[in-house]
């Protein structure tokens, strides 16, 4: 039994409120049209636009890494937060496409940014990863375990997409988004609602584990069937889950922070499919004044990067939204989800 009379001599330092102090984004230069995607799959520009809302996406260059993209997004976020790189004391990278099993992308990014010795780790929660990161950063600043946390969502999905897979080749894109979470006089990040449904883990997944690739490579005579284990998706099942299960999650996020839809300035859901976004807007009966992120049209689905990319663009195009309340919600492989309301920087 725990003896409650025994306590540590020193309590951890008390924390304070937190908010997003600055955002940044990086989109690779190369625009990939639906026509280019259709060179490898039996599809059409019209079908892709109608079913997903995507007109084009960006692919990183062959020598452009996830870390390269993250550096640019992070420097913008740090600059806009009005702090020095040296003031960042924790780095969280949400990604599923960092090509090293170990080490994590976060310490590599911290090194490139010149942050001396931050806490640094990756978050593997796919399209929900950025919102997991914002939730953790909020808790870290509030508890006092960190003062400024850099949260990055970055993906180079073109490395892990099968260009010949009709079910996923047109969906994914590359990019990076970053946020600095730091201390605030007033609450700027609401309670996080998060969860997962692991029995549906196979609905979006790397098709084979690395160990199978190794077995195939080491088999006598290197069999012909050897191939790169890219990400596969049962699109329709994920679509249904997102449309029917995420609206109640969004309602819970609002209820837990006592924010009404009338009080919202913006809705920034994960950019999975324009039809999913539109269905959620309808289901939540969002008032007409709420700005809705539809960045997927020119960016594609960039998994963990999609929310910070969309939010950064929204604020660049509509700076008057700054100071308003945004509802953000990520969902995808796992099936994992997370979201919260944030005051826009
Ligand atoms: O970010 C992680 C979370 N991911 C998501 O949230 C993605 C969720 N899913 C989706 O966005 C959609 O399911 C897709 C955009 C991937 C697919 O759209 P859909 O409306 O669910 O298509 P479907 O799989 O139900 O297929 C409808 C029809 C089928 O033809 P029939 O049986 O009606 O004749 C397919 O064979 O469209 C056909 N089809 C295609 N046609 C042209 C399937 N893929 C393609 C294609 N091009 N690429």
């Amino acid at each position: 039994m725990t003896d409650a009379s025994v306590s540590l001599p020193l309590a951890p330092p008390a924390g304070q409120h937190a908010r997003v102090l600055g955002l940044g984004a990086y989109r690779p230069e190369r625009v990939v049209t639906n026509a280019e995607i259709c060179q490898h799959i039996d599809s059409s520009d019209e079908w892709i636009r109608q079913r997903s809302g995507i007109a084009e996406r960006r692919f990183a260059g062959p020598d452009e890494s996830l870390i390269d993209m993250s550096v640019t997004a992070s420097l913008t976020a740090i600059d806009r937060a009005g702090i020095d790189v040296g003031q960042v004391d924790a780095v969280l990278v949400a990604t599923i496409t960092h090509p090293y099993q170990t080490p994590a992308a976060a310490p590599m990014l911290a090194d490139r940014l010149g942050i001396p010795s931050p806490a640094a780790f990756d978050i593997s929660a796919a399209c929900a990863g950025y919102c997991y990161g914002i939730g953790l950063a909020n808790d870290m600043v509030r508890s006092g375990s960190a003062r400024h946390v850099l949260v990055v969502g970055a993906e180079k999905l073109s490395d892990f997409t099968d260009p010949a897979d009709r079910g996923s080749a047109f969906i994914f894109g590359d990019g990076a988004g970053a946020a600095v979470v730091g201390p605030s006089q007033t609450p700027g990040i609401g309670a996080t609602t998060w969860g997962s449904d692991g029995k549906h883990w196979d609905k979006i997944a790397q098709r084979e584990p690395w160990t199978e690739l190794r077995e195939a490579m080491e088999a006598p005579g290197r069999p012909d069937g050897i191939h790169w284990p890219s990400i596969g998706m049962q699109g329709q099942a994920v679509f249904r889950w997102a449309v029917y299960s995420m609206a109640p999650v969004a309602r819970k996020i609002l209820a837990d922070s006592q924010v009404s839809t009338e009080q919202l300035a913006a809705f920034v859901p994960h950019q999975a499919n324009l039809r999913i976004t539109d269905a959620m807007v309808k289901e939540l009966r969002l008032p007409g004044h709420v700005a809705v992120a539809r960045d997927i049209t020119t960016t594609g689905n960039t998994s963990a990067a999609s929310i910070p990319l969309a939010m950064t663009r929204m604020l660049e195009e509509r700076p008057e939204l700054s100071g308003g309340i945004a509802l953000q919600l990520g969902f995808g492989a796992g099936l994992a989800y997370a979201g919260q309301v944030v005051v826009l920087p």
Side-chain angles (χ1 to χ4, degrees):
M1 232 178 67
T2 322
D3 182 351
S5 67
V6 179
S7 69
L8 296 172
L10 193 64
Q16 51 201 316
H17 298 304
R19 69 173 56 232
V20 176
L21 300 175
L23 287 166
Y26 175 76
R27 288 160 215 275
E29 253 174 51
R30 192 162 98 77
V31 174
V32 178
T33 61
N34 289 340
E36 183 175 340
I37 295 290
C38 293
Q39 288 169 9
H40 308 282
I41 55 171
D42 175 18
S43 189
S44 66
D45 175 51
E46 190 194 3
W47 189 94
I48 296 171
R49 282 175 196 257
Q50 264 178 15
R51 295 289 179 138
S52 70
I54 299 168
E56 60 189 38
R57 74 289 291 141
R58 304 286 181 107
F59 279 1
D63 297 327
E64 193 171 34
S65 75
L66 186 108
I67 307 288
D68 295 333
M69 294 192 285
S70 301
V71 166
T72 310
S74 299
L75 287 174
T76 306
I78 290 167
D79 181 52
R80 288 179 179 167
I83 63 164
D84 293 328
V85 169
Q87 287 175 268
V88 173
D89 45 15
V91 177
L92 278 51
V93 178
T95 186
I96 52 166
T97 50
H98 176 50
Y100 288 83
Q101 191 75 39
T102 196
M108 294 166 75
L109 172 62
D111 177 56
R112 285 276 301 276
L113 291 170
I115 306 171
S117 54
F121 58 95
D122 288 1
I123 300 169
S124 180
C127 312
Y130 173 77
C131 293
Y132 269 74
I134 293 294
L136 288 171
N138 185 36
D139 292 348
M140 289 161 78
V141 174
R142 278 162 44 89
S143 72
S145 66
R147 193 167 161 79
H148 292 104
V149 184
L150 175 66
V151 181
V152 176
E155 302 289 5
K156 191 176 177 186
L157 280 151
S158 57
D159 274 349
F160 292 88
T161 303
D162 176 356
D165 177 24
R166 204 172 176 233
S168 65
F170 60 93
I171 275 268
F172 296 125
D174 300 339
V180 173
V181 173
S184 167
Q185 303 280 334
T186 51
I189 300 174
T192 295
T193 293
W194 52 7
S196 64
D197 190 357
K199 70 175 171 297
H200 295 297
W201 69 271
D202 60 340
K203 298 289 186 284
I204 315 177
Q206 180 172 321
R207 286 192 183 126
E208 297 91 12
W210 295 118
T211 42
E212 264 182 41
L213 179 64
R214 179 175 170 174
E215 276 166 32
M217 286 173 68
E218 289 176 355
R222 294 279 291 266
D224 291 342
I226 189 165
H227 61 270
W228 183 241
S230 50
I231 297 168
M233 179 170 73
Q234 296 172 37
Q236 220 181 61
V238 182
F239 188 96
R240 276 200 301 267
W241 169 73
V243 166
Y244 294 113
S245 308
M246 289 304 104
V249 172
R251 279 192 211 100
K252 181 175 181 323
I253 293 168
L254 294 173
D256 286 354
S257 291
Q258 296 185 2
V259 171
S260 70
T261 53
E262 281 299 330
Q263 289 170 294
L264 284 178
F267 176 46
V268 187
H270 165 49
Q271 303 291 290
N273 181 317
L274 196 60
R275 286 156 58 217
I276 294 176
T277 299
D278 290 342
M280 287 172 77
V281 167
K282 207 166 153 192
E283 182 65 25
L284 294 170
R285 296 200 180 92
L286 292 186
H289 74 266
V290 179
V292 178
R294 293 192 167 88
D295 188 40
I296 191 168
T297 311
T298 53
T299 307
N301 176 338
T302 55
S303 192
S306 87
I307 291 175
L309 277 168
M311 194 174 272
T312 304
R313 170 169 279 172
M314 186 181 257
L315 282 167
E316 285 167 356
E317 288 175 357
R318 297 188 55 187
E320 74 278 7
L321 292 172
S322 172
I325 299 173
L327 167 64
Q328 58 182 27
L329 174 57
F331 49 86
L335 297 172
Y337 58 88
Q340 55 275 114
V341 285
V342 299
V343 175
L344 291 166

